[in-house]
């Protein structure tokens, strides 16, 4: 495969990796490769919570993102409050690639409602921009979904034998579907220090050789502590928290 095509393929994989959760975007390396189920399940999972969902808090974070065969990148993530809504902003830049993703959403007691979503990506100077407006978003965008997934991570009912479900819209407005379950609760050590964590696994029934594990901070919804994406047992990407500043996401 020519170098340019190989690079584009690798970037597309990273782009769809936060992502999510596993083809989300490099900066959203969390939503990878997975699939989930019906549209109403996110709401249903929320209603099974035994304790109130954590309230949003502003923060600023930096992550080290590593993808096999590529130089590591720094991802900057900020959650801030603007009037009655919240802004989640992620960005990264390396020598050959850059990306940014922003979402404005309203946080309700047991759900999120997306208002506007913007993203831009470029590889070797060639890229594109995308925008979704409130009227187009019948589901949360992936930044809002990541925030909400972190609030649900401690749901005791989400187990490997009975996983919970979540779906969202990707940067083009296409529905993505995921299933997840709680792996463990407990402290983890990271470059930024030691943190209490809730770790979930996201799986794709059609691609059982792929798995993404995400660790969230139970007290700061949206804050990813670590992410580990494996394919056929081999780690493809890893994300680790390197800097965390509470209140750092306050509106300028």
């Amino acid at each position: 495969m020519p170098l340019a095509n190989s690079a584009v393929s690798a970037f597309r994989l990273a782009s769809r990796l936060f992502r999510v959760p596993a083809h989300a975007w490099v900066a959203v390396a969390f939503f990878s490769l997975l699939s989930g189920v019906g549209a109403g399940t996110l709401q249903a999972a929320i209603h099974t919570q035994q304790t109130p969902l954590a309230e949003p808090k502003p923060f600023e974070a930096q992550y080290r993102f590593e993808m096999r065969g590529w130089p590591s990148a720094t991802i900057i993530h900020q959650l801030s409050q603007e009037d009655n809504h919240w802004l989640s902003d992620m960005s990264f830049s390396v020598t050959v690639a850059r990306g940014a993703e922003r979402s404005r959403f309203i946080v309700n007691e047991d759900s999120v409602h997306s208002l506007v979503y913007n993203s831009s990506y470029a590889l070797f100077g060639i890229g594109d921009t995308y925008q979704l407006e409130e009227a187009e978003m019948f589901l949360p965008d992936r930044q809002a979904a990541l925030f909400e997934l972190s609030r649900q991570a401690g749901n005791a009912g989400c187990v490997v034998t009975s996983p919970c479900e979540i779906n969202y819209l990707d940067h083009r407005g296409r529905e993505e579907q995921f299933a997840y379950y709680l792996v463990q609760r407990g402290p983890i050590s990271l470059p930024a220090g030691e943190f209490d964590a809730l770790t979930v696994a996201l799986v794709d029934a059609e691609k059982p050789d792929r798995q993404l594990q995400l660790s969230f901070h139970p007290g700061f919804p949206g804050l990813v502590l670590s992410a580990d994406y494996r394919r056929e047992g081999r780690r493809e990407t890893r994300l680790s928290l390197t800097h965390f500043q509470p209140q750092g996401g306050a509106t300028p």
Side-chain angles (χ1 to χ4, degrees):
M1 179 182 291
L3 175 61
N5 289 343
S6 178
V8 169
S9 297
F11 184 72
R12 283 175 178 165
L13 171 64
S15 289
R16 295 200 59 200
L17 216 189
F18 212 42
R19 149 225 210 223
V20 41
H23 329 259
W25 156 65
V26 159
V28 198
F30 323 118
F31 291 120
S32 283
L33 49 86
L34 323 156
S35 78
V37 243
T41 7
L42 175 59
Q43 190 76 12
I46 290 173
H47 287 316
T48 63
Q49 287 281 347
Q50 300 301 307
T51 57
L53 297 177
E55 293 293 325
K57 301 173 185 176
F59 65 81
E60 190 173 272
Q62 290 185 12
Y63 312 109
R64 180 172 63 242
F65 179 73
E66 301 168 275
M67 184 166 69
R68 190 169 56 86
W70 280 69
S72 62
T74 295
I75 296 173
I76 298 173
H77 183 196
Q78 186 180 60
L79 183 71
S80 57
Q81 186 171 17
E82 297 183 345
D83 298 325
N84 66 337
H85 65 268
W86 289 82
L87 170 65
S88 181
D89 190 332
M90 280 189 169
S91 63
F92 81 101
S93 178
V94 292
T95 304
V96 298
R98 61 175 175 77
E101 188 162 291
R102 307 183 99 198
S103 168
R104 287 180 168 83
F105 53 89
I106 293 174
V107 178
N108 299 314
E109 182 178 350
D110 60 357
S111 63
V112 294
H113 176 72
S114 293
L115 299 175
V116 63
Y117 165 88
N118 297 277
S119 63
S120 63
Y121 315 98
L123 178 65
F124 299 122
I126 300 173
D128 213 336
T129 61
Y130 304 89
Q131 179 165 311
L132 299 175
E133 301 289 348
E134 181 178 9
E136 305 173 75
M137 292 187 282
F138 59 96
L139 291 171
D141 63 80
R142 64 184 171 207
Q143 283 284 319
L146 178 68
F147 170 90
E148 194 62 4
L149 175 60
S150 72
R151 293 210 299 171
Q152 297 177 43
N155 188 342
C158 302
V159 295
V160 63
T161 54
S162 181
C164 293
E165 303 158 349
I166 185 172
N167 59 0
Y168 66 96
L169 300 180
D170 73 2
H171 59 292
R172 295 179 184 269
R174 299 170 300 195
E175 185 174 346
E176 295 279 359
Q177 301 176 329
F178 293 82
Y180 71 94
Y181 59 89
L182 181 66
V183 174
Q184 65 179 25
R185 305 170 186 261
I188 59 174
S189 296
L190 300 163
E194 186 171 287
F195 297 87
D196 288 333
L198 296 169
T199 301
V200 297
L202 292 94
V203 294
D204 182 353
E206 297 180 356
K207 301 174 183 176
D209 63 324
R210 307 181 187 185
Q211 186 183 76
L212 178 68
Q213 284 199 358
L214 291 168
S215 293
F216 295 107
H217 193 301
F220 283 83
L223 178 63
V224 179
L225 298 175
S226 68
D228 189 287
Y229 167 49
R230 295 177 181 268
R231 181 174 181 174
E232 297 179 348
R234 182 171 63 178
R235 175 185 287 133
E236 297 284 338
T237 61
R238 178 170 57 185
L239 179 142
S240 302
L241 181 70
T242 58
H243 175 78
F244 172 55
Q245 180 61 54
Q247 301 301 321
T251 302

